[in-house]
């Protein structure tokens, strides 16, 4: 490959954002976040308890999944 043009910053951001989303999805699946929600865990505390993670991690992953449209967040 001999093209030495400067990469488009938007393209680099798209790749980085996609990578982060994939990692978040993998971690949410790994801890059982979706199964916990399907089984009735409807608060961060309940999700954290069912998944065996801290409330901070449960909130971060649940919020990330809601931002991607995979979960619906209600107050």
């Amino acid at each position: 490959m001999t093209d030495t043009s400067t990469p488009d910053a938007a393209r680099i951001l798209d790749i980085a954002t996609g990578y982060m989303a994939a990692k978040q999805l993998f971690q949410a699946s790994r801890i059982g976040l979706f199964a916990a929600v399907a089984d009735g865990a409807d608060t961060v505390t309940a999700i954290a308890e069912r998944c065996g993670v801290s409330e901070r991690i449960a909130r971060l992953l649940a919020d990330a999944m809601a931002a991607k449209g995979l979960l619906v967040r209600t107050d």
Side-chain angles (χ1 to χ4, degrees):
M1 192 175 278
T2 59
D3 186 0
T4 59
S5 63
T6 303
D8 180 13
R11 180 71 181 129
I12 293 170
L13 185 59
D14 285 345
I15 293 168
T17 303
Y19 176 77
M20 290 186 314
K23 293 291 281 184
Q24 292 162 342
L25 176 60
F26 173 78
Q27 290 302 318
S29 180
R30 186 186 65 78
I31 68 167
L33 186 142
F34 298 108
V37 171
D39 288 341
D42 59 356
T43 65
V44 169
T45 301
I47 292 169
E49 287 175 3
R50 290 203 188 179
C51 294
V53 297
S54 70
E55 287 188 23
R56 178 178 176 269
I57 295 300
R59 179 175 304 280
L60 285 168
L61 289 174
D63 284 348
M65 296 302 96
K68 294 298 177 191
L70 300 176
L71 292 177
V72 176
R73 182 178 180 187
T74 58
D75 292 326

